[in-house]
């Protein structure tokens, strides 16, 4: 995953997106270091009197939102007006997400939102999607999905934990295969191929889901509409 962007750029992007949050909104709270800046900014606005409800996309974003004093709700009880989330790569309006292994819940929340804003630093922008696609799988389907991904000309690697022996286990109790397809010519076709594999819970290709991108730099923020 691309980790090259500066924290100042991520902060600029996150805070720019947070400024679009309005009183009374239900806000999807993304996962990762850039989305965390948005959550902190929303928390400061809540402290100052903004009335919003957050829907977290992971254990991490839930914990941060609680620490920041943002009231939370479940998708069972609310519908999301605006989601703010990061990305590992952005090209042609499509995204690869899942660097934090949270893409299953992120996709549910982001896709349900009336508007989905991506927050990113310039290192995330690319001509073509090409970083490995995270694929969350049922643990018992790890080998069958890996074989099927190889049949799709992908190279799957089980994601391993850094401070634990063995694999990363998602918030949903599943495993992640990082699947390297090289540059992806047709993200929509690959997305439907991956979604059709038995045992795949969710993949990290977000095709035609995002509405707008806020790209932060140390000099300011560029906001662009993304085609859907
Ligand atoms: C988590 C994600 C993150 O949004 C993505 O990895 C970007 O993270 P960061 O803002 O830390 O670079 O998809 O599953």
């Amino acid at each position: 995953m691309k980790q090259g962007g500066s924290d100042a750029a991520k902060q600029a992007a996150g805070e720019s997106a947070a400024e679009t949050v309005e009183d009374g909104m239900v806000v999807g709270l993304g996962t990762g270091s850039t989305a965390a800046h948005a959550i902190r900014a929303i928390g400061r606005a809540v402290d100052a009197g903004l009335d919003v409800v957050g829907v977290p996309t992971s254990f991490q974003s839930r914990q941060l939102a609680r620490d920041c004093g943002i009231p939370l709700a479940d998708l069972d009880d609310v519908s999301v007006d605006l989601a703010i989330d990061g990305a590992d790569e952005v090209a042609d309006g499509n995204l690869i997400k899942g660097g934090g292994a949270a893409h299953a819940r992120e996709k549910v929340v982001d896709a349900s939102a009336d508007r989905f804003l991506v927050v990113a630093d310039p290192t995330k922008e690319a001509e073509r999607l090409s970083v490995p696609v995270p694929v969350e799988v049922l643990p018992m389907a790890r080998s069958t999905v890996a074989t099927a991904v190889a049949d799709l000309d992908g190279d799957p690697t089980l994601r391993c934990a850094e401070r634990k022996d063995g694999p990363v286990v998602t918030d949903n109790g599943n495993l992640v295969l990082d699947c390297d397809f090289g540059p992806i010519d047709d993200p929509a076709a690959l997305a439907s191929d991956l979604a059709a594999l038995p045992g795949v819970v969710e993949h990290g290709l977000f095709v035609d889901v995002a509405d707008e991108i806020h790209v932060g730099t140390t000099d300011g923020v560029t906001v662009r509409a993304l085609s859907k």
Side-chain angles (χ1 to χ4, degrees):
M1 300 302 154
K2 297 182 176 180
Q3 299 294 349
S6 75
D7 194 55
K10 293 179 179 199
Q11 183 171 355
E15 292 182 351
S16 167
E19 280 171 17
T20 69
V21 176
E22 293 171 9
D23 220 39
M25 277 185 168
V26 176
V27 185
L29 304 172
T31 299
S33 55
T34 319
H37 283 296
I39 294 173
R40 288 189 203 99
I42 294 166
R44 290 192 291 275
V46 167
D47 270 352
L50 185 76
D51 176 24
V52 292
V53 171
V55 177
T57 54
S58 62
F59 179 95
Q60 184 261 356
S61 68
R62 181 173 189 276
Q63 193 57 45
L64 180 59
R66 282 172 57 100
D67 292 347
C68 293
I70 302 172
L72 298 176
D74 289 336
L75 270 185
D76 291 333
D77 302 317
V78 293
S79 59
V80 178
D81 297 300
L82 177 76
I84 300 174
D85 206 347
D88 298 301
E89 197 166 54
V90 184
D92 253 347
N94 300 318
L95 321 174
I96 292 179
K97 287 184 50 57
H103 52 284
R105 293 188 191 191
E106 289 174 323
K107 196 178 283 186
V108 172
V109 173
D110 297 346
S112 79
D114 287 346
R115 283 178 72 220
F116 168 26
L117 312 188
V118 182
V119 288
D121 65 77
T123 66
K124 305 296 181 59
E125 296 205 280
E127 292 282 313
R128 263 202 297 176
L129 295 177
S130 59
V131 300
V133 180
V135 178
E136 179 167 343
V137 297
L138 296 175
M140 56 81 73
R142 169 168 78 97
S143 300
T144 55
V145 173
T147 301
V149 165
D151 289 343
L152 293 171
D153 292 330
D155 182 12
T157 303
L158 181 67
R159 190 180 299 182
C160 287
E162 283 185 5
R163 297 190 62 203
K164 160 190 172 287
D165 287 340
V168 165
V169 178
T170 71
D171 288 359
N172 313 309
N174 298 312
L175 305 179
V176 175
L177 295 171
D178 288 307
C179 301
D180 191 351
F181 294 94
I184 298 169
D185 290 328
D186 189 343
L190 181 58
S192 52
D193 286 346
L194 290 172
L197 300 179
V200 167
V201 175
E202 193 52 85
H203 58 76
L205 277 167
F206 285 44
V207 177
D208 290 340
V209 180
D211 294 285
E212 191 171 284
I213 183 165
H214 293 231
V215 183
T217 69
T218 44
D219 292 331
V221 180
T222 306
V223 179
R224 274 199 336 268
L226 296 175
S227 52
K228 278 184 112 172

